[in-house]
Amino acid sequence: MVAWDVIGALVTLAGSVFLLLGAIGVARMPDLYNRMQAGTKATTLGNLLTLTGLGILMPSWLPKILLIAVFVLVTNPISSHALARAAHAAGIPLAKGSVKDALDHDREAR
Amino acid sequence: MWPRSFEQPDVRPDEERSLRPFICLSAGLLALWLTLTWSLDPQEVATGLVVSLVVASVARSAVHSVTGCPGSILRRVAWSLAYIPYLLRAIIAANIDVARRVVNPALPIRPGIVKVRTNLESPLGRLFLTSSITLTPGTLTVETSGRELYIHWIDVEADGIEEASERIVRGFERYLERIFG
């Protein structure tokens, strides 16, 4: 099944492109919050595509790959939220040029 | 000073004594076990059954209040299945959007933290909502306080609570309110 091998390889390659873009985003973004946007989440699709590609290359691994994908989807947002929340609570400022900070505004009003 | 992210769900005493959540949790764990071992060998099934029952009895008190079997389970399962492609589509579209911003030399972002409001009542529903928002790149849940969510948005398109909620929350909510009530 050469055709499937090629498709699997291409999907995995597409996944690595998104991972690379995530890394570039981490380097380019101006502050922690925007870096998290690029770094932790441009990688969501990168991970999913890489796993899908592996599943196409190795169909017998599919059930476990599906589980890994679910675990990524469940743990990724929780850890991202925990990091962002802790950062904001610790007073890490938004980058210059940020439009607004509704949370800071509400916290001061309290 | 910081509000709890999610209020404690009400623990109803009749649910606490009921065996249903326990059975559902055991069945779910057994299904997970069988998926992982990928074998119907009687030894594997027996071991999985014992382990599931033990884990379920230990974990029951911690999770029964949020995982209890919903009554109209088929309808909820159907909406959950419909939610998966919807979420994947949102993730893909948003990923491409953020990737384009990253490679654009001008780095076109207008970041900020906006406040949005959800209509979801169930704590588990809110957990799925905030996680879905965080999973789609471009929006990141920074803090929650009851109905109100504070979202870091890479490109603030709408300022007011209503417009921002419309853009970030409503799409997911349409599914989640039918799944979690």
Side-chain angles (χ1 to χ4, degrees), chain A residues 36-61:
Chain A
M36 286 190 59
Q37 298 268 19
T40 63
K41 295 179 300 125
T43 58
T44 323
L45 191 56
N47 272 325
L48 291 184
L49 284 174
T50 309
L51 288 169
T52 311
L54 277 178
I56 295 171
L57 290 172
M58 290 281 170
S60 60
W61 292 359

Side-chain angles (χ1 to χ4, degrees), chain A residues 18 21-22 24-26 28-31 33-34 36-38 40-46 48 60 63-64 67 71-74 76-78 80-82 84-86 88-89 94-104 106-107 110, chain B residues 1-5 32 35-38 88 91-92 95-96 98-99 101-107 109-115 127 130-145 148 150 152-154 156 159-160:
Chain A
F18 274 101
L21 289 173
I24 296 174
V26 171
R28 291 200 67 199
M29 289 297 182
D31 67 357
Y33 306 96
N34 287 301
M36 286 190 59
Q37 298 268 19
T40 63
K41 295 179 300 125
T43 58
T44 323
L45 191 56
L48 291 184
S60 60
K64 283 171 196 176
L67 268 178
F71 286 141
V72 167
L73 286 176
V74 170
N76 179 323
I78 292 175
S80 305
H81 167 62
R85 183 168 186 256
H88 200 281
L94 272 67
K96 270 202 201 94
S98 293
V99 187
K100 64 185 290 191
D101 187 344
L103 178 53
D104 208 34
D106 282 11
R107 200 166 14 138
R110 232 176 258 160
Chain B
M1 140 184 184
W2 286 94
R4 293 187 60 91
S5 278
L32 180 67
T35 316
L36 280 169
T37 56
W38 208 240
L88 284 180
I91 290 176
I92 292 169
N95 254 294
I96 292 171
V98 170
R101 289 177 203 280
V102 163
V103 293
N104 189 323
L107 200 64
I109 56 172
R110 259 182 104 238
I113 294 179
V114 296
K115 184 165 150 181
L127 173 64
T130 50
S131 295
S132 302
I133 290 172
T134 304
L135 262 181
T136 45
T139 50
L140 171 66
T141 312
V142 177
E143 179 63 287
T144 68
S145 164
E148 273 140 21
Y150 297 89
H152 184 268
W153 204 358
I154 204 166
V156 177
D159 220 17

Side-chain angles (χ1 to χ4, degrees), chain B residues 59-140:
Chain B
R60 177 161 68 134
S61 61
V63 290
H64 76 97
S65 52
V66 284
T67 57
C69 296
S72 46
I73 197 158
L74 273 180
R75 192 169 48 84
R76 289 173 191 228
V77 166
W79 277 102
S80 314
L81 289 180
Y83 186 59
I84 294 170
Y86 178 81
L87 178 63
L88 284 180
R89 231 192 102 233
I91 290 176
I92 292 169
N95 254 294
I96 292 171
D97 178 70
V98 170
R100 281 168 66 177
R101 289 177 203 280
V102 163
V103 293
N104 189 323
L107 200 64
I109 56 172
R110 259 182 104 238
I113 294 179
V114 296
K115 184 165 150 181
V116 298
R117 197 168 284 136
T118 171
N119 298 322
L120 291 175
E121 300 285 352
S122 114
L124 192 62
R126 284 186 196 158
L127 173 64
F128 269 79
L129 176 68
T130 50
S131 295
S132 302
I133 290 172
T134 304
L135 262 181
T136 45
T139 50
L140 171 66

